[in-house]
Amino acid sequence: MHTDPTDLPAPSRLPSRPELPDPLEFRDGSPVESTADWRDRRAEIRQLLRQYVYGYAPGAPEIETATERTPGVCGGAATLVETEIAFADLPPDAPAITLALFLPADAVDAGRSVPVLLGLNWRGNHAAVADPAVTITDTAREHGGFEEEAADRGAAADYWCVEHVLSRGYGFATHQFADIDPDSGDPADGIRPYYDDELPGPPGTEWGVLAAWAWGLQRCVDALRPMEAVRAEEIIVLGHSRCGKAALLAGATDERIGLVAPHQSGTGGTALDRDNDQEGVGDITGTFPGWFADTYAAFEGQVDRLPVDSHCLAALVAPRPLIDTAGARDHWTNPGRALDAVRAAEPVWDLLGAEGIADDLPLYGDDEIADETVGSICHYRRETAHTLNEGYLDAVLDFADVHFDGAG
Ligand code: GCU
């Protein structure tokens, strides 16, 4: 089901279809009726998303890792494992990832492995907790809005709630997105130029920033999976806003990721492009031209020509669990069209024999997230604007508790 990318039509030559493309129908109109058919349709959707939305990313390079372990972090609650992830095929001065993994101390002491929440951060790993053991990287000093150490350490503590996550029996892993791409608007920054020659598509389909961040998250998965302390099948990828878009793309295109949790990811994330009265294709590609493949901008004013929409991206997660979280007052991310997307993706879970949506969605506030209330798909809201906090993290972890084998 892989078409030569040069054979795919330009956006203006794609047929207009105002209704959502059916994830269970091939481009040529034939139906998807079996798991084997779905493998082919999955590959087709993946390629269409690359070609017309996010751009083609390079394959997985060999990684080189160097790890440092510090026990007794966060007042004794955590062991910190910092891993430098470099790319063997790139020169030594090329971008590298500094991944900070916080493990619950009691699990480490008991020799127990844990599920891990993995997410991109904005300001630097040291902003996630106040402990001085966390390295303040050069990237953070350069790109994290760094001012002074005392104010910066733990500046995002209420956002990530790391100690709370650990107390629930999960590890927490994070790296700053600027390690891969600083989001400066200049395509010469970050990792993308190093792989220019390896991308399979025609001009205009090269990976954008979101695809680069997603690729970087997948390299973190490469590094995390072999670690004894990590349950390789229970890595959750979570991200907020632009990082939520990257998290969804990473999780959708990498079946090693055990659970996918885009948070307030909006346009380019879970929210559909069709009938989206908030951030439109023209808005997002106008303000952030580097986030996507150049082809995507051509759909401004003609989203009906997109052969995929965000529900197709969400469907690539199936049959794995997907929780989409949204702020009821976060209008710009269009929670309504995100909910429509997960609903429209559900038939793929059904086809694969997994229960999709169990109860009525959305779940809201203190609604219970448990075996009886959720299937493999959840859309959950809190009464907030655009933010991440403990309430959302608890929803994701409650959902993960349902799907993973007794965490912690
Ligand atoms: C802007 C953008 C959104 C994005 C958000 C963010 O608001 O329009 O698409 O999600 O920035 O990442 O903070």
Side-chain angles (χ1 to χ4, degrees), residues 106-166:
D106 52 348
V108 173
D109 291 345
R112 239 183 314 117
S113 61
V114 289
V116 169
L117 203 59
L118 166 67
L120 287 175
N121 71 68
W122 301 58
R123 301 188 56 161
N125 302 344
H126 66 282
V129 300
D131 196 293
V134 182
T135 300
I136 302 179
T137 64
D138 292 346
T139 308
R141 288 183 195 277
E142 204 180 326
H143 298 290
F146 183 84
E147 279 171 15
E148 53 168 292
E149 184 169 340
D152 250 62
R153 286 196 179 279
D158 294 342
Y159 181 96
W160 290 115
C161 310
V162 175
E163 288 187 40
H164 182 68
V165 171
L166 300 181

Side-chain angles (χ1 to χ4, degrees), residues 122 241-243 245 264-265 267 279 284 288 291 332 386:
W122 301 58
S241 209
R242 67 197 67 184
C243 303
K245 306 179 207 298
Q264 302 180 339
S265 60
T267 302
E279 186 169 28
I284 199 164
F288 306 100
W291 281 5
W332 188 234
H386 199 61

Side-chain angles (χ1 to χ4, degrees), residues 2-11 14 46-58 187 192 195-212 249 289-299 306-307:
H2 189 267
T3 308
D4 185 331
T6 52
D7 290 342
L8 286 169
L14 288 161
R46 236 184 114 124
Q47 182 175 17
L48 294 170
L49 287 162
R50 292 288 182 203
Q51 179 95 7
Y52 296 114
V53 185
Y54 300 100
Y56 291 92
R192 288 180 295 154
Y195 288 104
D196 270 351
D197 299 340
E198 289 183 32
L199 307 178
T205 65
E206 295 87 358
W207 54 343
V209 174
L210 296 173
L249 180 59
W291 281 5
F292 300 90
D294 290 348
T295 39
Y296 182 56
F299 292 94
L306 267 170

Side-chain angles (χ1 to χ4, degrees), residues 50 54 57-58 87 97 118-122 139 175-185 189-192 207-221 237-251 253 257 268 288 290-292:
R50 292 288 182 203
Y54 300 100
F87 309 108
I97 292 173
L118 166 67
L120 287 175
N121 71 68
W122 301 58
T139 308
H175 88 85
Q176 190 182 359
F177 62 62
D179 288 344
I180 289 290
D181 191 298
D183 205 14
S184 64
D189 285 346
I191 198 135
R192 288 180 295 154
W207 54 343
V209 174
L210 296 173
W213 287 340
W215 179 93
L217 284 167
Q218 293 168 348
R219 305 294 66 81
C220 295
V221 173
V237 68
L238 165 127
H240 178 214
S241 209
R242 67 197 67 184
C243 303
K245 306 179 207 298
L248 177 57
L249 180 59
T253 57
I257 292 173
F288 306 100
W291 281 5
F292 300 90

